[in-house]
Amino acid sequence: MSTLKEFLKELHQESKVTRKMLERIPADKYEWQPHVKSMTIRRLSSHLEELPQWITMAFTTNELNFATVPYEPVLWKDNLELLDIFERSLAEATMHLEKGKEEELNPTWLLKNGDQVLVTMTKRELVRHAISQTIHHRAQLGVFLRLLDVPIPASYGPSADENEF
């Protein structure tokens, strides 16, 4: 199986659980955070819905420079809009993985702030990083939801709230 197909399979598998997590965010808790150093649920969820866009960036850019493209999270009003944004982001990433070529993953990609290079990686590593970040931040959201006593969906096996996965 090609790397692109492996990434596509993993992206779709992880997206099933991410979607379930995003659906369960209580509407009255968007601005809640478990600690002053933690993101709010809204901010964390915004990051989760945008992470597939990093896969798209691997195919469409050679760098992201915060000095020329300042970061601005998408503002969503409810879970339906959040899920819609996530689905569009996922669809675009899917399209690039389906139509992309293995050799497109070889070039270097940079994350910069002005002239300062923050991260250098291959585009393959950027795709892997986007999927890993999704898993990482989804786990954070799971902790947030657990602290709010929201049932946690099964992911890599049953959860304390769901026996099916």
Side-chain angles (χ1 to χ4, degrees), residues 84-137:
D84 180 60
I85 296 165
F86 174 70
E87 295 300 338
R88 285 186 278 134
S89 179
L90 181 60
E92 192 172 353
T94 296
M95 184 267 301
H96 285 288
L97 289 170
E98 287 175 343
K99 295 183 180 205
K101 295 179 176 42
E102 288 289 323
E103 59 269 15
E104 291 178 271
L105 299 175
N106 295 331
T108 299
W109 187 87
L110 303 173
L111 180 63
K112 297 168 60 176
N113 189 13
D115 292 333
Q116 181 185 12
V117 176
L118 303 172
V119 176
T120 301
M121 62 178 82
T122 65
K123 292 183 175 197
R124 175 178 282 101
E125 291 169 322
L126 177 59
V127 173
R128 162 58 44 221
H129 184 76
I131 294 170
S132 296
Q133 283 289 295
T134 298
I135 296 164
H136 165 75
H137 290 299

Side-chain angles (χ1 to χ4, degrees), residues 140-155:
Q140 285 181 307
L141 180 59
V143 171
F144 286 25
L145 295 177
R146 173 63 73 216
L147 292 171
L148 293 171
D149 204 27
V150 174
I152 305 302
S155 55

Side-chain angles (χ1 to χ4, degrees), residues 1-109:
M1 183 182 298
S2 74
T3 304
L4 291 170
K5 287 182 181 171
E6 288 177 13
F7 282 151
L8 185 62
K9 181 180 176 184
E10 187 175 3
L11 177 67
H12 281 248
Q13 187 64 37
E14 296 302 335
S15 294
K16 290 176 189 176
V17 182
T18 302
R19 191 176 293 110
K20 288 179 185 180
M21 289 280 201
L22 295 175
E23 289 171 345
R24 296 178 186 204
I25 299 170
D28 64 336
K29 299 296 184 190
Y30 294 159
E31 301 310 319
W32 184 84
Q33 61 192 112
H35 188 276
V36 69
K37 292 183 180 180
S38 299
M39 290 185 259
T40 65
I41 285 182
R42 180 185 303 276
R43 177 66 198 96
L44 181 58
S45 300
S46 292
H47 190 45
L48 271 168
E49 58 83 355
E50 73 191 6
L51 280 166
Q53 294 172 18
W54 288 72
I55 295 171
T56 297
M57 279 194 292
F59 288 92
T60 60
T61 69
N62 292 317
E63 70 176 29
L64 173 59
N65 191 328
F66 290 128
T68 57
V69 182
Y71 176 72
E72 292 186 30
V74 175
L75 299 176
W76 47 272
K77 66 180 181 317
D78 57 31
N79 291 28
L80 288 176
E81 186 176 12
L82 171 65
L83 287 163
D84 180 60
I85 296 165
F86 174 70
E87 295 300 338
R88 285 186 278 134
S89 179
L90 181 60
E92 192 172 353
T94 296
M95 184 267 301
H96 285 288
L97 289 170
E98 287 175 343
K99 295 183 180 205
K101 295 179 176 42
E102 288 289 323
E103 59 269 15
E104 291 178 271
L105 299 175
N106 295 331
T108 299
W109 187 87

Side-chain angles (χ1 to χ4, degrees), residues 146 151-154 157-163:
R146 173 63 73 216
I152 305 302
S159 74
D161 302 305
E162 290 184 2
N163 287 326

